[in-house]
């Protein structure tokens, strides 16, 4: 009778309270029959995917939105943007040396929890934003970022591989679904966080003074980060009570994220984590050597790295320089959140849409469209500064830039997977390295040049990046007689060996 009642537990109960009926009290999987895949196992598997996605969503609702406001909240001496540069500089070091070591010591679940807690230090530092508080917090965050993301990938990949073996289906199909659900949940941070910032930073009646025509000359293409443009400029100082309220709300979000994972996520040992110890994995200087060797010897890697840097450059420019120079300076910091919501929704929608379009028309037209969109918007930015009655055009800009970013974020990753099948570890280490370098370049250049100069650099870099990408397509056409590197057909070809021989 008792066993019959156990089988009749609702799906909702199993979802939130797996195994023993209490999510935080986990039953050791070694005492279970792991060779039998039950309905409860299926529900627990999907629950774990949702838990990770929601946990990361809460964390990045806090961090990513606070990062987007740094150039406006902490403009003095460029400290806000410099902290972002330090974060990505330490990420470059972190991704080479720490992920494998941390995950081996702490295991996947605890690596996510501990590393996410390091992010809260950056939010806490916003209550007293000085060099002595923001810089150490940025370093801690940067070193924690790579192990955290690697632990997430490890958890989802290992769970997908284990589940596919139990169910007798393709592991690739299961893992792709896991990552699809994760990013659907994760990318919603742009909506919730910007709703918070827009509400908190909304000016009271007569609080905001619009700039004059003469003052507007120092916005847009003439903007210089950290410069006190005029007395009414909101980049000068945001009311402290609003900063404290915003930081407090984001701190709560940042703490909820790791708590969700700690209390509701099953340990990965349920899905064979301990068996991974027998597998060889590069770490430290071994991974660094493999990464550099892959870059030097592989022609395609050398051709694609400018576009990978562009991925970081364009995100860094939009998140720091554009928000400060084209939103905060001319129309007020309170407009940032609403415009970034538009950007985030567009990015999420077109990340899915372009995947479908690419199946129909191929990769070259999609990459070309993204390049043209970015070129057109940057050309407009060189000759246009928004006025109070032109805020609607900033929403249009956010849509166009979000469409381009949707291509770069989804399809460059897919392109790497196709180009370097069988060499994923050094290839994606190169991806993390060059994209992080792009972010670092964006923050350093944006903090030390006039925006117009930065835009010319971006345009030139995008031209070089597209030419490098298109050269790969031409070489592939010459090698095979067709543009056969198609990430959506399921046909993957390893070209690295052929290229290293040439």
């Amino acid at each position: 009778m008792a066993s019959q009642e156990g089988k009749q537990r609702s799906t909702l109960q199993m979802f939130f309270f797996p195994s023993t009926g209490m999510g935080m009290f986990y039953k050791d999987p070694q005492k279970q029959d792991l060779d039998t895949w039950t309905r409860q196992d299926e529900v627990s598997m999907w629950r774990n995917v949702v838990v990770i996605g929601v946990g990361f969503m809460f964390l990045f609702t806090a961090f990513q939105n606070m990062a987007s406001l740094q150039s406006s909240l902490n403009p003095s001496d460029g400290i806000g943007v410099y902290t972002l540069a330090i974060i990505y500089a330490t990420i470059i070091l972190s991704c080479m040396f720490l992920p494998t070591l941390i995950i081996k010591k702490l295991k996947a679940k605890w690596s996510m929890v501990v590393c996410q807690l390091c992010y809260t230090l950056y939010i806490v530092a916003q209550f007293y934003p000085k060099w002595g508080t923001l810089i150490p917090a940025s370093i801690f965050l940067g070193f924690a970022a790579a192990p955290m993301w690697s632990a997430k990938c490890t958890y989802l990949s290992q769970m997908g591989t284990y589940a596919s073996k139990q169910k007798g289906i393709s592991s690739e199909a299961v893992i792709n679904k896991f990552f699809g659900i994760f990013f659907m949940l994760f990318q919603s941070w742009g909506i919730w966080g910007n709703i918070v910032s827009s509400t908190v930073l909304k000016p009271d009646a007569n609080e905001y003074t619009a700039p004059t025509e003469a003052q507007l000359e120092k916005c847009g293409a003439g903007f210089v980060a950290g410069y006190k443009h005029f007395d009414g400029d909101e980049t000068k100082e945001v009311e402290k009570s609003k900063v404290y309220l915003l930081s407090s709300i984001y701190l709560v979000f940042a703490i909820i994220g790791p708590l969700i994972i700690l209390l509701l996520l099953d340990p990965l040992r349920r899905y064979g984590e301990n068996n991974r110890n027998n597998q060889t994995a590069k770490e430290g200087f071994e991974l660094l050597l493999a990464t550099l060797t892959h870059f030097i010897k592989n022609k395609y890697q050398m051709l694609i790295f400018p576009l990978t840097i562009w991925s970081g450059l364009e995100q860094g420019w939009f998140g720091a320089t554009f928000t400060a120079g084209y939103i905060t300076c001319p129309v007020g910091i309170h407009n940032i959140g609403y415009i970034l919501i538009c950007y985030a929704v567009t990015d999420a929608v077109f990340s899915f849409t372009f995947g479908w379009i690419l199946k129909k028309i191929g990769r070259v037209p999609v990459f070309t469209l993204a390049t043209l969109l970015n070129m057109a918007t940057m050309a407009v930015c060189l000759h246009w500064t928004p006025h109070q009655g032109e805020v609607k055009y900033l929403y249009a800009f956010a849509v166009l830039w979000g469409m381009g970013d949707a291509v770069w974020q989804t399809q460059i990753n897919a392109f790497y997977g196709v180009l370097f099948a069988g060499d994923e570890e050094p290839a994606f280490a190169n991806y993390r390295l060059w994209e992080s370098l792009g972010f670092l370049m964006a923050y350093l250049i944006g903090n030390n040049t006039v925006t117009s100069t930065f835009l010319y650099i971006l345009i030139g870099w995008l031209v070089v990046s597209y030419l490098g990408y298109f050269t790969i397509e031409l070489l592939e056409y010459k090698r095979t007689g067709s543009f056969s590197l198609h990430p959506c057909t399921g046909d993957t070809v390893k070209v690295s060996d052929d290229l290293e021989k040439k």
Side-chain angles (χ1 to χ4, degrees), residues 85-158:
I86 290 170
I87 287 172
Y88 284 95
T90 51
I91 286 177
I92 292 173
L93 298 175
S94 173
C95 70
M96 292 298 173
F97 301 102
L98 290 182
T100 302
L101 176 64
I102 296 296
I103 294 172
K104 276 186 176 181
K105 296 292 184 182
L106 299 180
K107 304 300 183 183
K109 175 181 176 177
W110 277 100
S111 294
M112 284 187 277
V113 172
V114 172
C115 291
Q116 285 197 0
L117 288 173
C118 291
Y119 276 68
T120 63
L121 298 176
Y122 188 76
I123 308 300
V124 171
Q126 303 301 321
F127 289 94
Y128 189 71
K130 304 295 182 181
W131 291 100
T133 56
L134 286 173
I135 299 306
S138 301
I139 293 173
F140 270 102
L141 191 157
F143 279 124
M148 180 190 71
W149 284 103
S150 295
K152 182 270 298 179
C153 292
T154 297
Y155 193 104
L156 295 180
S157 299
Q158 177 66 25

Side-chain angles (χ1 to χ4, degrees), residues 174-454:
V174 175
I175 294 172
N176 284 341
K177 288 181 180 178
F178 285 176
F179 278 91
I181 292 174
F182 169 81
F183 279 105
M184 178 186 70
L185 295 169
F186 167 74
Q187 288 181 336
S188 66
W189 64 259
I191 300 173
W192 320 124
N194 285 310
I195 289 175
V196 172
S197 66
S198 298
T199 303
V200 172
L201 298 176
K202 184 178 180 179
D204 299 327
N206 301 320
E207 182 180 353
Y208 174 67
T209 303
T212 64
E213 287 295 326
Q215 293 166 342
L216 281 173
E217 293 180 2
K218 295 298 183 180
C219 301
F223 181 79
V224 179
Y227 177 69
K228 302 297 191 300
H229 296 281
F230 50 88
D231 291 341
D233 185 5
E234 288 192 59
T235 61
K236 183 176 181 180
E237 185 176 1
V238 179
E239 188 178 335
K240 290 297 183 182
S241 61
K242 292 186 176 182
V243 175
Y244 294 152
L245 176 58
L246 185 66
S247 300
S248 298
I249 295 173
Y250 282 158
L251 180 60
V252 171
F253 273 86
I255 293 173
I256 289 176
L259 279 179
I260 288 174
I261 293 176
L262 174 64
L263 299 177
L264 297 178
L265 186 69
D266 291 335
L268 188 56
R269 66 175 181 271
R270 177 173 188 172
Y271 304 103
E273 180 178 32
N274 293 333
N275 296 333
R276 291 175 54 85
N277 294 336
N278 298 325
Q279 301 174 3
T280 59
K282 297 182 179 69
E283 57 180 290
F285 287 103
E286 185 182 4
L287 177 57
L288 177 61
L289 181 60
T291 301
L292 295 177
T293 301
H294 185 270
F295 174 74
I296 294 171
K297 290 187 176 182
N298 195 293
K299 185 188 299 184
Y300 279 11
Q301 180 65 73
M302 296 185 72
L303 289 169
I304 198 65
F305 98 91
L307 189 62
T308 313
I309 291 179
W310 168 255
S311 174
L313 270 173
E314 59 94 6
Q315 291 181 80
W317 178 80
F318 184 83
T321 303
F322 176 78
T323 55
Y326 289 85
I327 304 178
T328 299
C329 182
V331 298
I333 192 174
H334 55 281
N335 283 296
I336 289 181
Y338 298 118
I339 293 169
L340 291 187
I341 289 173
C342 182
Y343 168 80
V345 172
T346 301
D347 208 330
V349 170
F350 279 94
S351 291
F352 172 80
T353 304
F354 277 127
W356 179 83
I357 293 175
L358 195 142
K359 292 181 180 179
K360 304 296 183 181
I361 65 176
R363 184 173 45 246
V364 175
V366 171
F367 273 55
T368 302
L369 174 62
T371 301
L372 293 176
L373 287 173
N374 285 163
M375 285 289 189
T377 48
M378 287 188 291
V380 170
C381 283
L382 278 171
H383 304 285
W384 172 68
T385 298
H387 292 63
Q388 281 298 312
E390 298 177 336
V391 176
K392 58 181 178 293
Y393 297 120
L394 291 171
Y395 287 94
F397 183 95
V399 170
L400 295 176
W401 202 262
M403 290 173 64
D405 185 69
V407 174
W408 305 133
Q409 300 315 306
T410 58
Q411 297 309 318
I412 294 178
N413 270 284
F415 201 32
Y416 265 75
V418 175
L419 285 175
F420 309 116
D423 290 324
E424 289 89 351
E425 190 173 4
F428 280 101
N430 268 278
Y431 178 88
R432 291 192 299 269
L433 171 65
W434 300 124
E435 186 182 44
S436 297
L437 181 59
F439 275 103
L440 178 61
M441 290 169 58
Y443 297 137
L444 292 179
I445 295 172
N447 229 23
N448 293 281
T449 62
V450 179
T451 297
S452 59
T453 302
F454 193 3

